[in-house]
Amino acid sequence: MSEPMPLKHRRIVLGLSGGIACYKAAELARELVKAGASVQVVMTEAAEAFITPVTMQALSGHAVYTSQWDAREGNNMAHINLTREADAVMVAPASADFIAKIAHGTADDLLSLLCLARPRERCALLLAPAMNREMWSHPATQRNVAQVRDDGALVLGPGSGDQACGETGDGRMLEALELRDELIAGLQPQHLAGKRVLVTAGPTFEAIDPVRGITNLSSGKMGFAIARAAREAGAQVTLVAGPVALPTPRHVQRIDVQSAQQMHDAVVPIAAAHDVFVATAAVADWRPATFAQRKIKKDGSKTTPVFELTENPDILAAVARLPDRPYCVGFAAETDDLARNAREKLARKNVPLIVGNLGPATFGRDDNALLLVDAQGERQLASADKLTLARELVREIAERLATVAQRAS
Ligand code: C5P
């Protein structure tokens, strides 16, 4: 699901305020550069007590700014110039003191100044708090955090666990890769802000006996990418996953199931509480009619077991039949004649959008190509990594959702 250079063409101001987590900012700078970003580091005086500008310059490839009086700027206005071209300011670590400053609009050093002076509508502010657990839970800090959130900043974490001071609790700065991913997410357009999205993903497993079952080659990667992309687009996402070994996308609520019946029972009761349902799962069409409580053994005779199958419930069709149904998107994994099969499925399932893909060409792989089929026609999303495709699909879904809402009003 890896996406090549997800921060290409992005300009990021990476701010460091004082705290022992400054050591993680070095790795963060490196990860951002590796992801394609142009990184300009700005450090407070306190940050310089923990890590040197030399390190940050070497990792970011740009001379570090530490003072609002930096004479390198022709107009001597580093606090303005540094954010006019920037896509985001990410402060990591953001100390309790620094968050307090931002909450109050205090601007007595370059980093706080540029946070205040940035063009808010096109330059996001992301803060990665890092502090002792008592400092984090203090009502003053919590007030300040609520205030900066209210003012539009994204507060990332903090994580929980062992702290440098020897105590254990909330206040650890998130790890470099987590922060990189939060930044990537924070820069995505918020097409689905305030919406609730339900996704099924992966195969199902239909048990024959305690050790065997019927399943398929779906890896779950497409569905997990869609859940992540919907979350990045601002939606609240529930992901119902069959048996796969994939990490849960950040901030996505995951429900694990095994069989088609379990997936049906997890999905149908909550579907109407969602705005969109994306059925990506490769649900087994049939299951063994009976489950053998003990492992079926070879008994030395020549007779082979015969299994009777029974049909599984169609989850997508069941959701599409709900009186208060969400906007339903089905997938069609085919081996041939994608357009015809997808169109046939559109009618049979009675859903507004079917996404066709060639099963054997994509199962388990990181790349895919999608064919969107709806009443208006067809649209091909050319071959790309699954996350890129998922983001495009989310945009397409959001557009259709807006049209449906317009028609209804
Ligand atoms: O019926 P068919 O398997 O061809 O349709 C595929 C679509 O229907 C996919 O979106 C899949 O997730 C969904 N489906 C389902 N429950 C089933 C079978 C398929 O939700 N039992």
Side-chain angles (χ1 to χ4, degrees):
M1 207 162 27
S2 70
E3 175 199 15
M5 305 294 263
L7 290 172
K8 197 169 166 192
H9 305 308
R10 298 293 196 175
R11 290 163 174 261
I12 310 300
V13 174
L14 175 60
L16 279 66
S17 60
I20 188 60
C22 277
Y23 81 92
K24 292 192 196 172
E27 196 192 341
L28 175 59
R30 201 158 177 275
E31 291 298 341
L32 298 184
V33 170
K34 260 169 58 186
S38 161
V39 178
Q40 174 60 64
V41 176
V42 176
M43 295 170 68
T44 65
E45 197 184 334
E48 284 187 79
F50 292 91
I51 190 169
T52 69
V54 175
T55 302
M56 297 308 292
Q57 176 173 351
L59 293 172
S60 67
H62 297 284
V64 172
Y65 282 77
T66 56
S67 160
Q68 71 263 47
W69 312 120
D70 197 311
R72 276 173 295 176
E73 296 294 308
N75 59 0
N76 215 303
M77 293 190 195
H79 66 293
I80 305 289
N81 304 349
L82 290 177
T83 56
R84 289 308 175 263
E85 302 296 321
D87 296 291
V89 176
M90 179 178 235
V91 183
S95 65
D97 177 61
F98 189 78
I99 295 170
K101 272 191 190 178
I102 298 298
H104 291 93
T106 305
D108 61 355
D109 61 11
L110 178 59
L111 189 55
S112 52
L113 249 174
L114 70 82
C115 287
L116 198 65
R118 78 187 204 286
R120 293 194 303 287
E121 67 292 349
R122 60 186 163 82
C123 179
L125 175 61
L126 298 94
L127 303 173
M131 65 197 75
N132 165 268
R133 66 192 174 100
E134 297 290 1
M135 293 169 77
W136 172 252
S137 65
H138 195 286
T141 304
Q142 289 303 311
R143 261 199 317 273
N144 292 333
V145 168
Q147 184 63 59
V148 296
R149 277 205 176 109
D150 232 39
D151 292 343
L154 273 173
V155 178
L156 313 176
S160 195
D162 291 345
Q163 302 206 300
C165 52
E167 298 179 4
T168 305
D170 292 341
R172 279 170 60 93
M173 189 167 89
L174 296 185
E175 301 304 324
L177 288 176
E178 292 175 311
L179 290 175
R180 179 202 64 184
D181 287 348
E182 292 282 359
L183 178 63
I184 294 167
L187 291 172
Q188 300 308 313
Q190 299 293 288
H191 295 305
L192 289 175
K195 301 289 183 210
R196 298 189 63 173
V197 175
L198 178 61
V199 182
T200 62
T204 62
F205 181 88
E206 312 298 329
I208 294 171
D209 67 17
V211 294
R212 303 185 183 90
I214 301 171
T215 187
N216 60 65
L217 290 173
S218 167
S219 64
K221 286 180 181 175
M222 193 66 231
F224 274 58
I226 291 169
R228 173 173 167 181
R231 167 65 211 174
E232 287 177 348
Q236 205 180 313
V237 180
T238 314
L239 171 63
V240 180
V244 293
L246 292 174
T248 310
R250 287 180 68 74
H251 310 301
V252 164
Q253 195 206 335
R254 173 172 175 174
I255 302 169
D256 283 321
V257 296
Q258 277 222 318
S259 66
Q261 187 65 51
Q262 287 169 353
M263 189 174 273
H264 172 275
D265 295 350
V267 164
V268 175
I270 61 171
H274 291 79
D275 302 285
V276 179
F277 174 50
V278 189
T280 326
V283 184
D285 291 318
W286 300 280
R287 66 176 182 274
T290 51
F291 171 71
Q293 297 292 340
R294 290 163 176 240
K295 184 180 171 191
I296 302 166
K297 298 259 193 207
K298 281 191 281 191
D299 60 5
S301 72
K302 287 272 181 275
T303 52
T304 50
V306 176
F307 299 112
E308 198 191 324
L309 298 176
T310 184
E311 196 169 339
N312 271 326
D314 188 317
I315 303 164
L316 178 58
V319 172
R321 276 195 302 269
L322 293 173
D324 200 9
R325 71 178 194 170
Y327 183 86
C328 291
V329 183
F331 263 69
E334 304 293 342
T335 50
D336 53 80
D337 213 346
L338 205 49
R340 194 179 55 79
N341 281 311
R343 194 154 292 288
E344 177 272 323
K345 214 156 282 189
L346 198 67
R348 182 161 52 83
K349 305 259 182 179
N350 185 28
V351 296
L353 178 62
I354 288 282
V355 182
N357 58 176
L358 292 170
T362 185
F363 274 179
R365 302 190 40 168
D366 287 340
D367 282 14
N368 200 359
L370 302 178
L371 182 72
L372 276 53
V373 178
D374 66 6
Q376 276 65 50
E378 284 161 26
R379 168 122 210 266
Q380 177 79 45
L381 302 185
S383 179
D385 66 279
K386 287 182 174 173
L387 186 56
T388 301
L389 284 173
R391 288 194 184 125
E392 281 186 52
L393 178 60
V394 159
R395 192 177 47 74
E396 295 276 348
I397 292 172
E399 266 174 27
R400 286 165 174 79
L401 200 60
T403 314
V404 173
Q406 246 171 17
R407 274 200 219 119
S409 68

